[in-house]
Amino acid sequence: MSETNRFQIANLGKPNYKSPLQLSTVRGDHIFNFVKESDKLVFDLSLDSYASCLSNGEEPQCLEKAGPRQDIFFKPEDTTAAIVTCGGLCPGINNVIRGVVMALHYFYGIKRIIGIPYGYEGLNPEMGHELIELTPDKVKDIHQFGGTFLGSSRGGQDVSTMVDTLESNHVNMLFAIGGDGTLKGVDAIGEEIKKRSADISVVGIPKTIDNDIDLIDESFGFETAFDVASPIIRDAHNEAAGAFNGISIVKLMGRDSGFIAASAALAMPVVNFVLIPEMDFQLEGELGFLGVLKKRLQQKKHAVIVVAEGAGQQLFEDQNRVQDASGNIKHADIGIFLKDKIKEYFTETPVTIKYIDPSYIVRSAPANSSDSVYCSRLAYHAVHGAMAGKTQFVSCKVNNKFVYIPIKEVTKKRKKIDLESEFWFSVLQSTGQPFLLK
C-alpha cells in the first residue's frame, strides 16, 4: 500500500509471538482463517472513486480488516489489560466490557485485567478511586443491565498523570469505551506513550448514543436507543389522538446530530414532524413550523412532534453557551421552548399539549439483541488488534465490514444527517412534513 494511506494503523513493533488461537491459514478446511496484514478493504466503494484511481494511477484509500493475527506483539502470560468507560451512558457498554474481558481471558489467556473506575478520573490517583480487578466471573452477568459496571465521568485528566498510572500498574493495553471526547483523550494518551517509547497499546471502542462518530457505519447503543424510543412515541401518539387538537412533543437525545429522532420516527411512523440540529427552521410565518402545525391540526386534529435536544438552538436569543466537562456546548431546552411557543401561538384555538422527555430512560436501557451482537463483535476485534500490537485505532464497522481506523480520522468532525440524503428523504416521506420549515 501507498505510504500516503490515511488509514494506516500505528504499530508498537514487530509481533514476535505466535497467537494461541488455533485458527487456520488454509481456505476450505472449515476453520476460520487468521487475518493477514495484506487483507485490506477499499474505503470509497463508488464508481467515481474507482474511475478516478484508475485514471490517475493511484491506489485507493484502504482500511485494515479487523480480526485475529497469526503473529502477536504481546506475550499473553506477561500482559496486563485495562478498561475504562467515559462520557454519558449508552446501551451496550456492559456488553463491551464483558466481551473484552472474556476475549482477553479465554482467547489469549490473559489473567490480569484492570477496570478503571469512573472514567479518566480513575487514572488520576488524587481522585481516590481504587482500581478494580476484572475476572470472567465478575462480568459474566453485567450485559443484562444498562449503564456501566465501571462507572463513568466527563472531562479529561492530566495526560502525563494518566500514563504514569498505566505504567505504575504495568498496563500493556488500554481499552477506552466512549465517544468523541473519550477517543480524543485516549489518542492523547497514545501520543504521550509514544514520547516515552513505552509498549502500551491504546484502543478506542466508539460509543455514542447520538451515532455522530464520523466515517463509521454506526456506533453501538444507537439501535437500542431508537428501539426503546419507539413505544414511547407510540404512546405519545395515543395521547395526541385522544384529544381534540392534541399535540404530543417527544424530546430525544441528539446534541449535534439528529439520528435518534429521525430513526425513531421511521421505526414508529406515527410522527408528523421531526426537528433536528441539522435543520435551520423558523417558527413564524406561513411556511414556518407553527403555521404548518396549524394546518396539520385543521386537517387531522392531532400532531406528534419529535425533536432532538440540539435542534432549534438558533431560535434562542442568548447564544452565549456554557460548556460541560467534556467540552460540549450545553444547549438550551428546545422541548420546553417549543411547548411554550405552541401554547402562545394557539391562544385562540384550544389545544392539548403533552410534553415527554425520556432521554435518561433511553440511554440507561440494556442493549437489545442486535446491539448485543454488535457489542460483542466490536470487543473481540478490539482485543485482536491490541494483541497484534496495533495502537491508537478504533474497532468499528465501515461499509458493513469490521475494520480498524486511526482514532484521528474519526475525530476530525462529527457525523451529521445530510438533508439531501435518501435517509432524510425517507423521514420526510414518513412524516409528510415539508422539505423546509421556513
Side-chain angles (χ1 to χ4, degrees):
M1 286 299 299
S2 168
E3 291 184 358
T4 59
N5 181 23
R6 60 186 274 218
F7 298 118
Q8 187 71 39
I9 303 297
N11 208 299
L12 294 176
K14 184 180 178 182
N16 291 318
Y17 301 99
K18 291 297 179 185
S19 172
L21 300 180
Q22 299 299 305
L23 301 180
S24 176
T25 58
V26 180
R27 297 294 298 177
D29 60 2
H30 306 293
I31 299 173
F32 185 73
N33 288 339
F34 284 111
V35 175
K36 295 179 291 187
E37 290 302 307
S38 58
D39 290 340
K40 307 286 184 180
L41 298 168
V42 175
F43 172 64
D44 189 339
L45 303 180
S46 70
L47 182 60
D48 284 347
S49 175
Y50 174 70
S52 175
C53 288
L54 277 182
S55 63
N56 296 324
E58 298 174 348
E59 291 189 19
Q61 293 291 323
C62 289
L63 307 170
E64 282 200 21
K65 188 176 180 181
R69 268 55 176 177
Q70 187 172 20
D71 298 313
I72 58 176
F73 181 81
F74 293 105
K75 189 177 181 181
E77 55 266 36
D78 297 335
T79 298
T80 296
I83 305 171
V84 65
T85 62
C86 308
L89 298 183
C90 174
I93 299 175
N94 283 337
N95 299 67
V96 176
I97 295 171
R98 184 186 189 278
V100 170
V101 171
M102 296 302 187
L104 289 167
H105 183 91
Y106 289 113
F107 299 174
Y108 291 99
I110 290 174
K111 298 295 186 268
R112 185 163 185 248
I113 307 167
I114 298 171
I116 309 297
Y118 303 110
Y120 289 137
E121 283 186 7
L123 288 172
N124 182 355
E126 292 184 3
M127 302 303 294
H129 304 314
E130 291 189 14
L131 303 180
I132 304 166
E133 294 288 334
L134 298 178
T135 63
D137 192 56
K138 271 189 180 178
V139 302
K140 62 185 172 65
D141 296 321
I142 63 174
H143 63 290
Q144 300 180 48
F145 304 95
T148 166
F149 172 75
L150 294 176
S152 186
S153 66
R154 293 190 183 276
Q157 301 292 322
D158 179 71
V159 174
S160 183
T161 299
M162 291 193 287
V163 176
D164 287 344
T165 302
L166 294 176
E167 291 191 317
S168 64
N169 285 276
H170 309 291
V171 171
N172 305 104
M173 53 184 70
L174 172 66
F175 298 90
I177 304 167
D180 185 74
T182 304
L183 297 178
K184 288 177 179 176
V186 78
D187 198 46
I189 290 173
E191 290 297 322
E192 177 65 20
I193 289 168
K194 191 189 301 181
K195 289 178 186 176
R196 302 186 187 193
S197 299
D199 288 338
I200 305 174
S201 168
V202 297
V203 184
I205 303 175
K207 171 233 74 175
T208 165
I209 200 169
D210 292 349
N211 194 35
D212 60 358
I213 300 291
D214 197 31
L215 301 181
I216 72 175
D217 288 357
E218 193 174 286
S219 50
F220 77 81
F222 166 65
E223 189 169 310
T224 300
F226 68 81
D227 188 16
V228 173
S230 292
I232 296 171
I233 292 172
R234 176 200 62 205
D235 295 345
H237 171 260
N238 294 339
E239 284 285 349
F244 177 71
N245 286 343
I247 300 171
S248 284
I249 305 168
V250 181
K251 188 179 81 169
L252 297 176
M253 286 187 160
R255 185 187 293 112
D256 299 301
S257 305
F259 287 103
I260 293 179
S263 298
L266 279 173
M268 184 57 63
V270 295
V271 179
N272 310 115
F273 298 94
V274 178
L275 305 176
I276 58 175
E278 292 86 345
M279 296 171 60
D280 179 20
F281 64 94
Q282 296 175 347
L283 292 181
E284 308 298 335
E286 186 179 351
L287 300 178
F289 169 70
L290 294 173
V292 177
L293 174 62
K294 182 177 181 180
K295 291 178 182 176
R296 162 75 195 182
L297 291 180
Q298 290 171 344
Q299 294 170 355
K300 299 294 185 180
K301 311 306 178 191
H302 73 276
V304 177
I305 304 160
V306 172
V307 58
E309 63 179 310
Q313 295 302 304
Q314 74 280 359
L315 302 174
F316 293 90
E317 293 180 4
D318 180 14
Q319 295 295 321
N320 296 318
R321 304 279 183 251
V322 296
Q323 295 183 338
D324 63 18
S326 297
N328 300 308
I329 298 295
K330 285 187 176 182
H331 289 318
D333 194 328
I334 185 62
I336 297 296
F337 178 82
L338 272 183
K339 178 185 176 183
D340 292 343
K341 289 297 182 181
I342 291 171
K343 187 175 181 181
E344 291 173 13
Y345 183 80
F346 288 100
T347 52
E348 298 180 4
T349 304
V351 294
T352 301
I353 305 173
K354 298 292 193 297
Y355 175 62
I356 304 163
D357 182 357
S359 299
Y360 293 103
I361 295 171
V362 170
R363 79 174 196 171
S364 301
N368 64 14
S369 297
S370 179
D371 255 328
S372 295
V373 171
Y374 188 34
C375 288
S376 293
R377 296 180 75 186
L378 284 174
Y380 300 159
H381 286 303
V383 169
H384 294 317
M387 288 302 299
K390 298 180 187 300
T391 188
Q392 292 178 272
F393 71 93
V394 292
S395 168
C396 59
K397 190 189 278 189
V398 177
N399 298 327
N400 206 34
K401 301 289 184 182
F402 285 94
V403 296
Y404 301 137
I405 299 184
I407 293 173
K408 282 182 172 57
E409 289 298 321
V410 300
T411 55
K412 287 181 176 178
K413 63 178 181 177
R414 297 284 180 93
K415 182 168 71 173
K416 294 179 177 290
I417 293 176
D418 179 358
L419 297 183
E420 295 185 25
S421 66
E422 186 276 333
F423 171 68
W424 181 244
F425 181 49
S426 295
V427 175
L428 299 184
Q429 290 177 102
S430 177
T431 62
Q433 73 189 66
F435 283 100
L436 302 173
L437 289 170
K438 61 179 182 177

